[in-house]
Amino acid sequence: MSHGDVRRLYRLKEGVHSVRTASGEVVLAAWPHLQEMGRLTAEQRSLLQVLATDRSAEKLTERCPRDQADRLLAMLSSGGWLITTVVCGDRPLFSSQPLVPHRKPLPPAEPRRLSRFASVRRDGDAIVVESPAAGAEVRLYDSRLVEPVLTLGAAQQERPDVPLEAVRLLTDELAHRGFLATTAETNSLSSVQWSPHELAFHHGSRLRGDHRMGRDFGGSYWAKGRFDAPPGKHPRWPAAAIELPRPDLDRLRVQDPALTEVMEERCSIRSYDEDNPLTVEELGEFLFRTARVRATGTDAEGLDVSSRPYPGGGAAYELEIYPLVRNVRGLDAGLYHYAPHGHRLLPVPASATALRWLMKASAAGMTGEATPQVLLVIATRFGRLAWKYQAMGYALTLKHVGVLYQSMYLAATAMRLAPCALGVGDSDAFAAATGLDYFEETSVGEFALGSLPAARRESTG
Amino acid sequence: MSHGDVRRLYRLKEGVHSVRTASGEVVLAAWPHLQEMGRLTAEQRSLLQVLATDRSAEKLTERCPRDQADRLLAMLSSGGWLITTVVCGDRPLFSSQPLVPHRKPLPPAEPRRLSRFASVRRDGDAIVVESPAAGAEVRLYDSRLVEPVLTLGAAQQERPDVPLEAVRLLTDELAHRGFLATTAETNSLSSVQWSPHELAFHHGSRLRGDHRMGRDFGGSYWAKGRFDAPPGKHPRWPAAAIELPRPDLDRLRVQDPALTEVMEERCSIRSYDEDNPLTVEELGEFLFRTARVRATGTDAEGLDVSSRPYPGGGAAYELEIYPLVRNVRGLDAGLYHYAPHGHRLLPVPASATALRWLMKASAAGMTGEATPQVLLVIATRFGRLAWKYQAMGYALTLKHVGVLYQSMYLAATAMRLAPCALGVGDSDAFAAATGLDYFEETSVGEFALGSLPAARRESTG
């Protein structure tokens, strides 16, 4: 196969509109971005129209003087409006879709290597190459191009149906768009500090050029009509429910300490009074103040929503609380699920080994002073958010964990208990203890609670 | 090259210890996991010792009867203790390291394809294949094996130095460990709902079998001695500082509404009184209550720490607040940085276009009722956490955003202002407005604030 068969085709990104202003200038728009293109010739404006479908540079210059066509393509390319597809004859090999206006990448480190932030995965019938450090997304339509991506075409040998010219265009595009390792990747804290999964997640969870809010990103209700929405109430655990004591809310509205007093006095306390442990009345009051359901309803698209004492995106309330009780007066040790609609605890059957693992792995985040009298494991029924929100749902669930942490800290401080939010826990241990499907409901937060140690109770009493 | 050259080698995972109990039984331990192996023969116990380095099955059976060796390998393999490396002659081709005890994968969908959760990236000189849905991590030492990973060896042709036998072992291992697409990936909400970046992040940010807390995960201070810790104070913006008014904290400790009253009354309010906008005194009080620095110090490893009114992991306080002011009495419109050590605002020079983009993209998360009088953009100086914490730092920063959101909600409610936390914002817009390096400091949260609309002020007054 001759290399002459390898060509570039150009096409405007989806969702880009060109508008002609009263003064005759052309503006390209893709919410929330605008680019003024200045005055274009009639031939250039006509090219802009035909770029809604793939065109080769030759096809474009048939209709328009070459220098005008080239100028338009250069403008569109630097603005990040143009998808380039490389074909061999009629067969597409790969395409590159810019995410942002073109920026000159940092010089690559020597020897040239793929960035440690770049990753390759299957997406439908294509293979996608992406990197949160790059300005474009590259899609491969031929699996034989995967190896050259990882090696940047080093020592590439001619193979049937994979012209070296295509490999050269591919590796040039990767270099041009910032897919190569820079010296910063090994030399600079600001780059070394990011684990690939963290930077990719940040990149994927925030708005950016190619995310269309409410269409393929954000609150799009993409799953409506395709899957039933997960119900607002957690499926009931089979064991008999334990009614939790409730506080007198009207009394608390008056007698509770002032907000500023509580916020200023709040601190993490990692030791407990084992002779006078937390009581079931206190645990009941604590959960009632922070996490009970106050009212329920349905949103405009049919998703169950509710009102609780802490804020939650879309009022979906995907978080579930599982108290792992070690030493609480009036309650057997073991794992429970908090049912916030009825303010009840449901015992969760779990093996002693699994519970020991769950407590041990979580308490490791406490810098090991004492074992919590209650470990509140916070799980996400992720589908409650993901049925509505695309790409940003997990970031939202972690923000909700933080919101709940601070609500718990403040309630515990007002109640004169010992609170401590933990930085990390073990989701495998949670799955083993509960038998829940990791994809459906998985642990995302841990909060340690207990009675205030005697010394502290006196000093601050 | 003949296929007979392709062999499997076995080795125990790092950090695995075998202990012999008083009763003569052998226990394998890798914190926090234990597995009882029962009574082993002297030959089996001796094999366990030599498995600290790569051994082929033949080498093992030289020292131990074949059935005993096979039984031991089967036990170790099902427990997830054994790394398998496939070599061709002396050349390693790939290895597979289990993350969890072996579990039977769900049946793959037809036609067999790689899971959409699986990804391939460069890691040093190797290529790593990982999937949050799989029970192992596979490393390739020959780039020619990348294509068979993506295609599962479909229509693989014999190539020099890539024996078909190795391709078969590789694709078998991928199938055996759960790297293949299941029918759930297209049919079940619980799987479809996860974007690859979200599931990979959850998997990477939580404790699991191969994370060693404080060694390659969690608060390990990995960067100490290699990079200077980013200072506790943000580098100063060059413009003249604006001193913010401070509230009388002693008065607030007494006169502020009760915690329960504030938590129960808190709600999101998305409209404002434009005739009586927020004042600079209110903005000063709000930031003082929620985010000022109360004290500073240094932790045992030399990291600057501080005390603020909201809890933060390791007291590192990586979050920075950038008020984007539209309508505040006593303050010019524009972007500012809140300097929490001195309770001041520093103007941030930014183009009008960039600020319009920043406000527009963020307000899109507000379901468009009004534009905030102040948009508080929350950025993370990620290195403040990442210098200490490995792999879990970004999850921690998002939890901190939630903690700050709830602190802001409660302070605003007590102050009778209109608060609303936003679900998502545009980090590119923030980078464009501030000129900050995306890797060093990037936006992770947005909070809208303004004066209470007149109707609400009366009704709840």
Side-chain angles (χ1 to χ4, degrees):
Chain A
M1 177 170 298
S2 99
H3 293 177
D5 285 319
V6 174
R7 290 171 308 143
R8 278 203 185 91
L9 304 182
Y10 302 97
R11 184 173 85 244
L12 277 184
K13 284 169 71 172
E14 237 184 289
V16 175
H17 304 277
S18 69
V19 185
R20 211 168 152 205
T21 65
S23 60
E25 309 210 317
V26 173
V27 175
L28 284 186
W31 194 94
H33 297 280
L34 294 177
Q35 185 176 334
E36 290 165 9
M37 306 288 289
R39 282 181 184 281
L40 299 184
T41 64
E43 289 82 0
Q44 285 177 320
R45 291 201 305 273
S46 136
L47 283 197
L48 211 45
Q49 299 311 316
V50 304
L51 278 171
T53 56
D54 280 315
R55 300 293 161 132
S56 66
E58 301 78 48
K59 276 267 168 56
L60 294 174
T61 51
E62 279 170 14
R63 294 159 166 258
C64 175
R66 173 173 293 273
D67 62 331
Q68 288 190 26
D70 286 351
R71 223 164 25 236
L72 181 68
L73 288 177
M75 262 200 292
L76 293 173
S77 173
S78 87
W81 304 98
L82 214 51
I83 299 175
T84 309
T85 301
V86 168
V87 297
C88 180
D90 285 339
R91 193 163 57 90
L93 295 175
F94 71 89
S95 66
S96 175
Q97 165 152 346
L99 306 179
V100 289
H102 184 65
R103 51 186 187 220
K104 204 174 141 61
L106 293 174
E110 290 296 339
R112 290 157 77 95
R113 310 176 94 181
L114 193 65
S115 165
R116 70 186 185 94
F117 296 118
S119 71
V120 177
R121 62 182 172 83
R122 181 183 70 77
D123 183 24
D125 290 327
I127 293 164
V128 58
V129 186
E130 49 195 353
S131 166
E137 188 180 279
V138 170
R139 300 180 86 80
L140 312 179
Y141 306 112
D142 187 318
S143 62
R144 284 165 292 207
L145 290 170
V146 176
E147 184 189 339
V149 167
L150 270 298
T151 60
L152 299 178
Q156 187 67 29
Q157 288 155 353
E158 184 80 53
R159 291 176 57 185
D161 287 334
V162 187
L164 283 180
E165 174 66 5
V167 170
R168 194 186 61 76
L169 288 174
L170 175 58
T171 53
D172 282 358
E173 182 70 15
L174 293 174
H176 182 63
R177 296 295 184 175
F179 281 93
L180 268 51
T182 62
T183 52
E185 279 193 21
T186 47
N187 292 346
S188 158
L189 177 64
S190 69
S191 179
V192 176
Q193 69 190 2
W194 290 94
S195 298
H197 73 274
E198 293 180 305
L199 192 61
F201 177 76
H202 175 61
H203 183 68
S205 304
R206 302 278 297 166
L207 266 175
R208 59 182 198 209
D210 63 328
H211 280 158
R212 286 162 304 172
M213 191 74 163
R215 286 184 55 203
D216 61 8
F217 185 83
S220 66
Y221 291 96
W222 64 277
K224 196 186 170 183
R226 191 168 159 201
F227 297 105
D228 290 338
K233 265 192 201 178
H234 194 288
R236 198 185 175 291
W237 293 86
I242 297 165
E243 300 288 330
L244 280 173
R246 295 164 185 246
D248 176 349
L249 211 60
D250 291 334
R251 190 185 56 77
L252 285 178
R253 277 176 184 259
V254 179
Q255 294 184 0
D256 223 14
L259 174 67
T260 295
E261 175 71 15
V262 179
M263 280 182 73
E264 295 294 327
E265 294 305 320
R266 180 214 54 76
C267 62
S268 292
I269 300 171
R270 300 175 180 83
S271 56
Y272 314 103
D273 182 349
E274 293 295 339
D275 296 330
N276 299 289
L278 196 72
T279 66
V280 68
E281 288 75 21
E282 287 168 329
L283 184 60
E285 175 176 336
F286 176 84
L287 291 168
F288 193 86
R289 280 167 169 258
T290 52
R292 78 186 186 283
V293 169
R294 301 185 294 196
T296 58
T298 310
D299 82 0
E301 305 292 334
L303 185 67
D304 291 348
V305 294
S306 64
S307 162
R308 307 191 191 190
Y310 64 94
Y317 289 103
E318 76 288 3
L319 299 180
E320 301 286 338
I321 301 174
Y322 290 82
L324 173 52
V325 170
R326 179 181 63 83
N327 186 11
V328 172
R329 188 160 295 156
L331 207 53
D332 289 341
L335 184 64
Y336 299 85
H337 171 243
Y338 176 60
H341 291 77
H343 191 58
R344 296 185 185 97
L345 289 183
L346 280 300
V348 176
S351 78
T353 311
L355 293 187
R356 212 162 38 231
W357 173 19
L358 183 59
M359 183 66 96
K360 218 168 167 177
S362 306
M366 243 173 92
T367 51
E369 289 180 44
T371 308
Q373 290 177 346
V374 185
L375 176 72
L376 299 154
V377 181
I378 302 168
T380 183
R381 276 201 296 149
F382 185 56
R384 294 277 308 146
L385 284 181
W387 191 80
K388 169 176 178 181
Y389 295 104
Q390 274 179 284
M392 55 169 276
Y394 191 84
L396 203 51
T397 217
L398 287 190
K399 290 175 182 175
H400 293 158
V401 170
V403 159
L404 187 53
Y405 275 179
Q406 176 67 329
S407 306
M408 288 178 163
Y409 261 118
L410 297 177
T413 304
M415 292 175 64
R416 317 207 58 246
L417 301 174
C420 184
L422 307 183
V424 74
D426 190 318
S427 302
D428 290 335
F430 178 76
T434 58
L436 289 167
D437 179 347
Y438 184 92
F439 285 72
E440 213 162 282
E441 183 172 352
T442 178
S443 64
V444 285
E446 285 79 12
F447 195 93
L449 191 69
S451 58
L452 220 49
R456 260 181 196 273
R457 214 162 52 228
E458 281 150 25
S459 72
T460 60
Chain B
M1 175 170 298
S2 97
H3 293 178
D5 285 318
V6 173
R7 290 172 309 143
R8 278 203 185 91
L9 304 182
Y10 303 96
R11 184 173 85 246
L12 276 185
K13 284 169 72 171
E14 236 184 290
V16 176
H17 304 277
S18 70
V19 186
R20 210 168 153 204
T21 64
S23 61
E25 309 210 318
V26 173
V27 175
L28 285 186
W31 194 95
H33 298 279
L34 294 177
Q35 183 177 336
E36 290 165 9
M37 307 286 290
R39 281 180 185 282
L40 299 184
T41 64
E43 289 82 1
Q44 284 176 320
R45 289 201 307 273
S46 137
L47 283 198
L48 212 44
Q49 299 311 314
V50 305
L51 279 170
T53 56
D54 279 315
R55 300 293 161 133
S56 65
E58 299 78 48
K59 276 268 169 57
L60 294 174
T61 52
E62 280 170 14
R63 295 159 164 256
C64 177
R66 173 173 292 274
D67 62 331
Q68 288 190 27
D70 286 351
R71 216 155 39 227
L72 181 68
L73 287 178
M75 261 200 292
L76 293 172
S77 173
S78 86
W81 304 97
L82 215 51
I83 300 175
T84 309
T85 302
V86 168
V87 297
C88 179
D90 286 339
R91 193 164 54 91
L93 295 176
F94 71 89
S95 66
S96 175
Q97 166 154 344
L99 306 178
V100 289
H102 184 67
R103 53 185 185 219
K104 203 174 144 60
L106 293 173
E110 289 297 340
R112 287 155 79 97
R113 311 175 91 179
L114 192 65
S115 165
R116 70 187 187 93
F117 295 118
S119 70
V120 177
R121 62 183 172 82
R122 181 183 69 78
D123 183 24
D125 290 327
I127 294 165
V128 57
V129 186
E130 48 195 355
S131 166
E137 187 179 280
V138 171
R139 301 180 86 80
L140 312 178
Y141 306 111
D142 187 318
S143 63
R144 283 165 293 208
L145 290 171
V146 176
E147 184 189 338
V149 168
L150 270 298
T151 60
L152 300 178
Q156 186 69 27
Q157 287 155 354
E158 183 80 54
R159 291 176 56 184
D161 288 335
V162 187
L164 283 180
E165 174 66 6
V167 169
R168 193 186 62 75
L169 289 175
L170 174 59
T171 54
D172 282 358
E173 182 69 14
L174 294 174
H176 183 63
R177 295 296 183 175
F179 281 92
L180 268 50
T182 60
T183 51
E185 279 194 22
T186 46
N187 291 346
S188 157
L189 177 64
S190 69
S191 180
V192 176
Q193 69 190 2
W194 290 94
S195 299
H197 73 274
E198 294 180 304
L199 192 62
F201 177 76
H202 175 61
H203 183 69
S205 303
R206 303 278 298 167
L207 267 175
R208 59 182 200 211
D210 62 331
H211 280 159
R212 286 162 305 171
M213 191 75 163
R215 287 182 55 201
D216 60 5
F217 185 83
S220 65
Y221 291 96
W222 64 278
K224 195 186 171 185
R226 189 168 161 201
F227 298 105
D228 290 338
K233 263 191 202 179
H234 194 286
R236 199 186 175 289
W237 294 86
I242 298 165
E243 299 287 331
L244 280 173
R246 295 165 184 246
D248 177 349
L249 211 60
D250 292 334
R251 190 183 57 76
L252 286 177
R253 279 177 183 258
V254 179
Q255 295 184 0
D256 223 15
L259 174 66
T260 294
E261 173 72 13
V262 179
M263 281 184 71
E264 295 294 328
E265 294 304 320
R266 181 214 53 77
C267 61
S268 292
I269 301 172
R270 299 175 180 85
S271 56
Y272 312 104
D273 182 349
E274 292 296 339
D275 296 330
N276 299 289
L278 197 71
T279 66
V280 69
E281 288 76 20
E282 287 168 329
L283 183 60
E285 175 176 335
F286 176 84
L287 290 169
F288 192 87
R289 280 167 169 258
T290 53
R292 78 186 186 283
V293 168
R294 300 185 294 196
T296 58
T298 308
D299 81 0
E301 307 291 335
L303 184 68
D304 292 349
V305 295
S306 63
S307 162
R308 307 191 191 189
Y310 64 95
Y317 290 103
E318 77 289 3
L319 299 179
E320 301 286 339
I321 300 174
Y322 290 82
L324 173 52
V325 170
R326 179 180 63 82
N327 186 14
V328 172
R329 188 160 294 157
L331 208 52
D332 290 340
L335 184 65
Y336 299 84
H337 173 240
Y338 175 59
H341 291 77
H343 191 56
R344 297 184 185 97
L345 289 184
L346 279 299
V348 176
S351 77
T353 310
L355 293 187
R356 214 164 36 232
W357 174 20
L358 184 58
M359 183 66 95
K360 219 168 165 177
S362 306
M366 242 173 93
T367 52
E369 289 180 43
T371 308
Q373 290 177 347
V374 185
L375 176 72
L376 299 153
V377 182
I378 301 168
T380 182
R381 277 201 296 146
F382 184 56
R384 293 276 308 144
L385 283 181
W387 190 81
K388 170 175 177 183
Y389 295 104
Q390 273 179 283
M392 55 169 274
Y394 190 84
L396 203 51
T397 217
L398 287 190
K399 289 174 183 174
H400 292 158
V401 171
V403 160
L404 187 54
Y405 276 179
Q406 176 68 327
S407 306
M408 288 179 162
Y409 262 118
L410 297 177
T413 303
M415 291 175 65
R416 315 208 58 245
L417 301 175
C420 183
L422 306 184
V424 73
D426 191 318
S427 303
D428 290 335
F430 178 75
T434 58
L436 289 167
D437 180 348
Y438 184 94
F439 285 73
E440 214 162 280
E441 184 173 349
T442 179
S443 63
V444 285
E446 285 78 14
F447 195 93
L449 191 68
S451 58
L452 220 49
R456 259 183 197 272
R457 216 163 49 230
E458 283 151 22
S459 72
T460 60

